[in-house]
Amino acid sequence: MDFKNRDIISINDFSKEELLHILKVVKQIENKPKNNLLKGKLLATLFFEPSTRTRLSFISAMEQLGGEVLGFADSESTSRQKGESLWDTIRMTEQYADAIIIRHPLEGSGRLAAEAASIPVINGGDGSNQHPTQTILDMYTILKTKGKLENLHVGFVGDLKYGRTVHSLVMALSHFSPTFYFIAPDALQIPESYLDELFQKKIEYNKTSDLTRFSRELDILYVTRIQKERFPDPLEYEKFKDVYTINKSFLQNVKKDLKIMHPLPRVSEIDKSVDATQHAAYFEQAAFGIPVRKALLALVLGKVK
Ligand code: CP
């Protein structure tokens, strides 16, 4: 399989076989990193929205493989402030780099950037839509912690309406015969368009606002932050911000090998007392950002197949 010059915009652009191939390359790179693999290559990091993990792990991955990075973490210091369009920003950046990672608040911005650029573009999150590299590291975490992707009972809790990591992961896992449990207040439930897709694919799913209703069924619980920055009305955010908290008393009624994941950052949705339990997988999950992003960069820059 050849991923050279491929854009990574939506997880839906990848077949099951392609996703499995990427995960195989991640494992190879994790086991045997090649330090000069990306020597002479430059990555542009264009972050129009805040980020800690995605931006820093891409920088770290690139530099650990001998490549270099340029870019910005705050678009206030760019010519966007003078009115430059995203299209023109991308047309300029492609002159200076071999690949682009972009995070932007507008849904569809990653796709637009890929259309503007002739070099590979990686979507680091476009509004509430998609975060495909997070999904690949989420899949890798599941594979490493559960030993498989097939036939798992996976719960998603929190802000399923605006949470882009949920949207991408639901689509990716739908290749692997899961049973899904969507746990959210009605106003923050997963959009109907995703449920329509699951119905078409004959994937079993359950919806509830009750955190404990299916707790004994779950192999994975994927917890998400209430996405404050996406709420049109701040009062609505205040209503939901502390709606669920995973704590030690919740863990009394779960499978022994339940793994709790979270794309991070967390606010109040997982109590710190959970961190030291055998259920917590979220810090390990964030650490997998390095081998996953090394593999993705090496693939799209044509250094591995
Ligand atoms: N998971 C994730 O995307 O984290 P950041 O927002 O810190 O990049």
Side-chain angles (χ1 to χ4, degrees):
M1 249 173 238
D2 194 352
F3 288 82
K4 190 175 178 184
N5 288 330
R6 194 86 184 252
D7 301 308
I8 303 176
I9 304 302
S10 165
I11 208 73
N12 301 330
D13 298 339
F14 295 85
S15 67
K16 178 178 179 177
E17 290 67 34
E18 287 175 327
L19 291 172
L20 288 172
H21 181 77
I22 292 169
L23 293 171
K24 197 172 84 184
V25 174
V26 177
K27 192 172 175 199
Q28 284 163 1
I29 289 212
E30 190 188 23
N31 292 342
K32 208 171 166 193
K34 290 185 187 156
N35 293 343
N36 281 327
L37 196 60
L38 298 184
K39 196 171 168 55
K41 297 291 182 187
L42 262 169
L43 174 68
T45 61
L46 312 186
F47 279 74
F48 294 86
E49 267 196 343
S51 167
T52 299
R53 276 145 293 273
T54 308
R55 193 176 72 85
L56 295 183
S57 62
F58 263 110
I59 293 172
S60 181
M62 192 68 187
E63 293 188 351
Q64 284 184 47
L65 292 180
E68 291 182 77
V69 181
L70 72 165
F72 53 83
D74 177 2
S75 66
E76 295 292 308
S77 63
T78 72
S79 287
R80 184 194 194 194
Q81 297 312 310
K82 303 177 203 162
E84 186 168 55
S85 67
L86 178 60
W87 183 274
D88 283 359
T89 303
I90 299 295
R91 290 298 307 272
M92 291 303 100
T93 310
E94 70 171 339
Q95 315 291 324
Y96 313 142
D98 300 294
I100 293 171
I101 161 86
I102 178 171
R103 172 173 289 187
H104 195 285
L106 283 182
E107 292 188 19
S109 51
R111 187 75 69 197
L112 183 134
E115 280 169 20
S118 56
I119 60 175
V121 173
I122 301 173
N123 178 10
D126 61 326
S128 302
N129 186 33
Q130 285 261 332
H131 192 349
T133 71
Q134 177 71 42
T135 298
I136 291 164
L137 84 84
D138 292 343
M139 294 174 80
Y140 195 64
T141 307
I142 294 172
L143 203 50
K144 293 281 277 195
T145 58
K146 305 302 292 183
K148 64 175 189 173
L149 290 167
E150 298 281 350
N151 298 311
L152 291 168
H153 288 246
V154 183
F156 293 88
V157 60
D159 187 346
L160 312 187
K161 178 178 180 184
Y162 296 118
R164 58 193 172 200
T165 63
V166 171
H167 302 159
S168 299
L169 186 58
V170 164
M171 288 295 100
L173 289 181
S174 68
H175 292 296
F176 299 93
S177 308
T179 304
F180 287 137
Y181 303 83
F182 299 116
I183 306 155
D186 285 348
L188 297 181
Q189 261 297 357
I190 187 146
E192 284 296 322
S193 57
Y194 292 95
L195 299 181
D196 290 345
E197 288 239 14
L198 296 179
F199 180 76
Q200 299 291 333
K201 293 179 175 172
K202 300 188 169 52
I203 306 288
E204 189 183 333
Y205 66 82
N206 304 273
K207 275 196 328 180
T208 182
S209 58
D210 178 353
L211 176 62
T212 57
R213 182 160 163 212
F214 296 108
S215 53
R216 288 178 194 279
E217 314 288 327
L218 304 176
D219 300 307
I220 298 281
L221 179 59
Y222 193 93
V223 186
T224 61
R225 176 177 65 89
I226 306 298
Q227 308 276 302
K228 181 180 184 182
E229 65 277 26
R230 310 276 177 233
F231 278 72
D233 177 357
L235 289 178
E236 277 291 289
Y237 170 72
E238 289 299 316
K239 209 161 80 184
F240 293 116
K241 67 179 184 184
D242 294 320
V243 61
Y244 302 116
T245 303
I246 306 301
N247 54 25
K248 276 198 158 168
S249 83
F250 172 82
L251 296 178
Q252 283 170 0
N253 295 304
V254 300
K255 287 183 185 170
K256 269 202 183 108
D257 60 352
L258 167 75
K259 290 296 176 192
I260 296 176
M261 295 173 59
H262 191 311
L264 304 177
R266 74 171 151 189
V267 185
S268 61
E269 57 279 359
I270 302 180
D271 190 82
K272 272 193 175 161
S273 62
V274 175
D275 296 0
T277 70
Q278 78 269 23
H279 301 290
Y282 30 94
F283 292 121
E284 196 182 356
Q285 179 186 357
F288 288 136
I290 297 291
V292 165
R293 286 164 176 142
K294 279 180 179 172
L296 292 173
L297 288 167
L299 282 162
V300 302
L301 289 168
K303 295 295 180 182
V304 292
K305 283 194 176 178

